[in-house]
Amino acid sequence: MTSSELWTRATADRYDAEETEMSSAAVLGPTLDFLAELAGDGRALEFAIGTGRVGVPLRERGVPVAGIELSQHMTAVLRRKVDESTLPVAIGDMATTVVPGEFTLVYLVYNTITNLLTQDEQVECFRNAARHLEPGGRFVIELGVPPLRFLPPGQVAVPFDVSEQHLGFDTFDLVEQILVSHHFTRDGDDGRYRRGQSRHRYAWPAELDLMARIAGLELERRVADWDGAPFTQDSAKHISVWRKPT
């Protein structure tokens, strides 16, 4: 078992409702286009597939998809959408769990590699991706760039969402490279807020490139979003593609 925090049943049951923007056509369309092109005629494996936000519609596009997921509660929500024979999911962690066969694409979206709270585990995640890839296959990660430029001396918190229904901010441990995301979510019309938090280990693009090299993968492409915009020093996130040599 890795250090990833487990999703509870309550969190899994409300996940899709709270991520409606990330499940919108505007977000999913470019994501699916990008991944389907890389998968080609082969199979795709999603690490931390969750409720199937990406994996289910990618399968509906004709790409054979399998998944690895640590939380049985998240997988139970996915099973309401698609059966095991259509989209098989192995219960386990994405750093060590192995599924049968080879894939042209392994992908890990929405900052989820940060759920692994140590550098060693993140390296093992790259190695596990390489283990599943056929020669010439690609490993794709979607990850935010740590917003440390927003931290003046003495400040440890950066807000990332201030809206009617949700207040969110991250606090940073700069020594351990750990951030904690704090969420205050408004439930119903009574004005009460539900508090939640999760821990993550952030990593810079250059650190990920070194992890990839350790795993025997080569950087092929890095862009700022699923539409392929150039990645610059001002980009808030990146989509990185590493290739397994033939």
Side-chain angles (χ1 to χ4, degrees):
M1 182 73 69
T2 63
S3 59
S4 296
E5 297 174 346
L6 276 171
W7 293 77
T8 65
R9 175 176 295 176
T11 303
D13 285 342
R14 62 174 176 257
Y15 180 83
D16 286 346
E18 293 183 347
E19 296 293 345
T20 53
E21 181 181 352
M22 293 301 296
S23 299
S24 67
V27 173
L28 273 184
T31 304
L32 299 175
D33 290 343
F34 194 106
L35 296 175
E37 181 180 357
L38 288 180
D41 296 328
R43 303 166 65 214
L45 174 62
E46 181 171 356
F47 284 177
I49 194 170
T51 66
R53 177 183 68 89
V54 175
V56 171
L58 186 61
R59 180 67 184 88
E60 291 171 349
R61 286 204 175 192
V63 177
V65 177
I68 295 173
E69 172 56 46
L70 184 61
S71 170
Q72 296 189 42
H73 299 304
M74 295 290 275
T75 305
V77 175
L78 182 149
R79 283 287 161 254
R80 301 170 194 167
K81 307 172 184 178
V82 64
D83 60 33
E84 174 72 17
S85 63
T86 303
L87 201 165
V89 176
I91 302 299
D93 69 82
M94 56 187 165
T96 62
T97 302
V98 178
V99 301
E102 290 188 325
F103 299 82
T104 58
L105 173 67
V106 177
Y107 65 95
L108 181 54
V109 298
Y110 204 15
N111 303 320
T112 312
I113 193 170
T114 66
N115 290 1
L116 298 169
L117 299 179
T118 70
Q119 185 182 69
D120 286 344
E121 289 174 356
Q122 291 178 354
V123 169
E124 288 307 312
C125 180
F126 273 82
R127 284 178 166 154
N128 201 29
R131 183 181 298 124
H132 285 91
L133 287 172
E134 65 180 41
R138 275 91 169 187
F139 181 36
V140 176
I141 284 182
E142 174 188 23
L143 183 60
V145 176
L148 300 188
R149 289 194 297 173
F150 291 101
L151 285 175
Q155 181 174 314
V156 297
V158 174
F160 59 84
D161 185 32
V162 179
S163 62
E164 283 288 324
Q165 298 299 319
H166 179 255
L167 302 174
F169 61 92
D170 292 330
T171 54
F172 293 84
D173 181 334
L174 302 182
V175 174
E176 298 296 330
Q177 280 185 223
I178 296 292
L179 70 83
V180 180
S181 288
H182 304 264
H183 301 269
F184 295 85
T185 306
R186 189 173 184 176
D187 287 329
D189 298 321
D190 59 4
R192 295 184 179 182
Y193 283 81
R194 168 173 41 83
R195 180 177 181 176
Q197 66 180 40
S198 58
R199 293 186 302 152
H200 306 269
R201 182 187 186 272
Y202 64 85
W204 299 97
E207 185 180 4
L208 298 181
D209 289 343
L210 183 56
M211 294 180 189
R213 186 180 303 176
I214 291 171
L217 304 176
E218 302 170 346
L219 180 66
E220 181 177 76
R221 184 184 182 196
R222 174 168 290 129
V223 291
D225 55 35
W226 295 107
D227 289 313
F231 178 74
T232 71
Q233 64 179 2
D234 296 318
S235 298
K237 73 172 186 179
H238 61 95
I239 315 296
S240 295
V241 181
W242 296 274
R243 184 173 180 270
K244 183 174 183 176
T246 55

